[in-house]
Amino acid sequence: MLRPINVQPNLIRVGADSDGGYLIPRDCFKCDFLVSPGVDDKVTFELEFAKRGISCHLIDGSISKLPYAHENLKFSKKFLGSE
């Protein structure tokens, strides 16, 4: 049976309210960089890191460019896989 549970108080939601948003520890913003494979056209999560001065490298071969421009967002049009 599914029901809400209490989570650690240091978790925050980052990104969109639906797809593209994640629940992460608050101290994740202390990182030096973020690598995000398979972003599609939803980069609200990565944009939050970029706005905080964190360099983000986004990788996705299914899109030609990111929907947002930011100096801390770097994009590679590539597919990642086991080969």
Side-chain angles (χ1 to χ4, degrees):
M1 188 171 192
L2 297 176
R3 59 185 163 73
I5 61 169
N6 289 328
V7 296
Q8 299 175 17
N10 71 336
L11 296 178
I12 58 171
R13 182 164 184 91
V14 177
D17 290 335
S18 57
D19 188 22
Y22 303 94
L23 193 60
I24 63 170
R26 185 177 309 274
D27 52 354
C28 278
F29 289 116
K30 295 178 182 175
C31 66
D32 295 325
F33 63 92
L34 173 75
V35 176
S36 185
V39 294
D40 194 35
D41 62 350
K42 299 165 185 73
V43 297
T44 55
F45 176 79
E46 296 83 358
L47 192 56
E48 285 297 318
F49 280 80
K51 287 178 180 178
R52 293 172 185 247
I54 298 169
S55 179
C56 305
H57 194 91
L58 294 73
I59 305 163
D60 195 319
S62 70
I63 59 173
S64 56
K65 66 177 189 169
L66 295 176
Y68 302 106
H70 191 283
E71 64 183 16
N72 291 327
L73 294 178
K74 314 299 186 251
F75 176 69
S76 294
K77 181 178 173 54
K78 295 181 184 222
F79 287 106
L80 294 180
S82 58
E83 296 180 24

